[in-house]
Amino acid sequence: MREIAPGLHHWTTTHERWGIDVSSYLLAPEGIVIDPRVPASGIESVAALATPTELLLTNRHHYRHADAFVTRFGARVWCNAAGLHELPAHAPVTPVAPGEVLPGHVVALGIGAICPDETALFSPRHRAVALADCVVRMPSGGPLGFVPDVLMDDPPATKAGIVAALRPLLDLDFDHLLLAHGDPIVGDGKRALADFVSAHEALDG
C-alpha cells in the first residue's frame, strides 16, 4: 500500500481468475474503499489507516473482496443499480443512480458503453476520478488504452461510446486518475485523459 496523495492510498493484488494485477483505493478520511480487494499485507493494514465503512464499486465486476470488508467492518456496498443483478444476494448493497452523491461527497457519473453499470466516481476532496474498465493502463506504467477488443461486443461502437462518455469528465476539477486496471496517474490525470479523448475523437473524425 502506498499513499499517492494526502489521505489517498493505492494498492494492487493479483486477480485469482485473470492472473493480472488490479487496483484498489482507500480514501482514508472518509473511510471509503473503491473496488475493494484485501491487500497482500492483510485487511488489518487497511484498518491501521482508517475504518472502511463504505465500499464504492466502479462496476459490478469489482465487487471483488467486498465480503471481507463487510464481515470485518460492517461496511456498506454501493453499486450502479444496473449491475445489481450479478451481485451476491446476501450483500448489503445500496443501488446508485448516475448523478447521485455518495458518502464522502463522491459523485457517481454514468459511463455505460462497455457495460450498463460502468460508473466513474469523482471525489472533489481528493481531486480524483476513478474509472472501471472503460480505460486501462496496461502495462501499468504505459499509456491509457482500451481493454482488448475481444472483451467488447461491438468494439468500434463501444470505443466511440466510451470516448463520448468520457468527454464530460473533462469539465470536472481533478488532478488524479484512479484506474482499476493499471497504475493511477497522479497529478497529471486530467491532462492524460484529455489527450486520450482528443486522440480518439480525431481518429473517429
Side-chain angles (χ1 to χ4, degrees):
M1 298 178 66
R2 62 190 181 106
E3 188 173 29
I4 58 176
L8 177 56
H9 301 260
H10 167 247
W11 65 94
T12 61
T13 51
T14 302
H15 195 285
E16 297 85 353
R17 180 178 179 185
W18 303 112
I20 59 173
D21 286 346
V22 296
S23 291
S24 300
Y25 299 89
L26 171 68
L27 282 56
E30 298 91 339
I32 289 172
V33 176
I34 296 175
D35 295 341
R37 282 181 63 94
V38 175
S41 52
I43 200 166
E44 295 306 320
S45 64
V46 182
L49 298 170
T51 301
T53 55
E54 312 293 345
L55 311 176
L56 310 187
L57 310 187
T58 52
N59 70 30
R60 67 190 186 278
H61 301 300
H62 296 173
Y63 186 81
R64 297 176 169 177
H65 293 165
D67 284 343
F69 289 85
V70 171
T71 299
R72 172 64 178 83
F73 303 104
R76 296 183 297 176
V77 181
W78 301 75
C79 180
N80 189 308
L84 298 190
H85 62 287
E86 284 194 16
L87 296 186
H90 67 267
V93 180
T94 301
V96 171
E100 186 173 348
V101 179
L102 307 180
H105 304 289
V106 174
V107 183
L109 301 166
I111 299 296
I114 194 167
C115 70
D117 52 300
E118 185 84 358
T119 305
L121 300 172
F122 169 49
S123 170
R125 177 173 184 171
H126 294 277
R127 301 182 60 82
V129 169
L131 299 178
D133 299 335
C134 58
V135 176
V136 300
R137 197 178 179 207
M138 304 297 285
S140 286
L144 296 176
F146 297 110
V147 297
D149 285 2
V150 69
L151 298 178
M152 303 180 188
D153 293 331
D154 181 345
T158 299
K159 291 175 184 178
I162 288 171
V163 171
L166 292 175
R167 167 57 71 179
L169 299 185
L170 301 178
D171 293 331
L172 303 174
D173 189 13
F174 71 97
D175 300 316
H176 316 307
L177 192 63
L178 312 181
L179 302 169
H181 300 284
D183 287 338
I185 299 178
V186 179
D188 206 21
K190 184 172 182 176
R191 183 202 60 78
L193 188 63
D195 289 348
F196 176 82
V197 168
S198 296
H200 287 280
E201 284 179 336
L203 289 175
D204 290 340

